[in-house]
Amino acid sequence: MAVAELGVVVLDCPDPRALAGFYAGVLGGTVEGEGDWVDLKLPGGAQALAFQAAPGFVAPKWPTPDDSQQFHLDLTVQDLDAAEKAVLELGARPLDAEDHTRTFRVYADPAGHPFCLCAC
């Protein structure tokens, strides 16, 4: 028997509304809230994401053995090339996206959190 169920995944960041807007551009959904806490309600009842202001936020370093990335999101896409173009236009930056023979590519969101686009 489970003790709890997952409520929401929260990403610390310097500007919650801006980062929620980035992920709304990637995943769809609606951005709700202002200030230090902003929610992204995803379409179809999918798990929501939340964004919390973190004074002194320091982006994860990837890849590096000295600093942990803490976590990353795997985002499933139909077309890696089209998805790559879209996330770059939204403000992502490539971290490990050069090898187009793999079924995934790694990027950083505008706050520096790593995420992967994964072919389904």
Side-chain angles (χ1 to χ4, degrees):
M1 179 172 156
V3 173
E5 76 178 45
L6 181 63
V8 66
V9 174
V10 182
L11 283 76
D12 286 355
C13 59
D15 185 341
R17 186 121 185 120
L19 195 56
F22 169 80
Y23 280 104
V26 174
L27 299 169
T30 56
V31 176
E32 299 178 3
E34 296 291 335
D36 290 346
W37 185 280
V38 176
D39 292 309
L40 175 59
K41 304 293 184 182
L42 296 172
Q47 183 68 41
L49 289 175
F51 305 87
Q52 174 177 279
F57 173 78
V58 175
K61 295 177 184 150
W62 188 96
T64 176
D66 298 332
D67 295 303
S68 170
Q69 66 176 318
Q70 303 299 317
F71 82 102
H72 72 273
L73 300 172
D74 281 349
L75 307 177
T76 305
V77 300
Q78 295 291 322
D79 181 332
L80 277 171
D81 292 330
E84 175 178 72
K85 182 177 185 228
V87 299
L88 293 175
E89 288 174 356
L90 288 165
R93 64 183 169 79
L95 293 177
D96 185 4
E98 298 80 28
D99 185 351
H100 288 204
T101 64
R102 297 183 311 200
T103 59
F104 69 95
R105 299 177 193 166
V106 185
Y107 306 86
D109 68 24
H113 303 103
F115 70 93
C116 295
L117 296 178
C118 304
C120 52

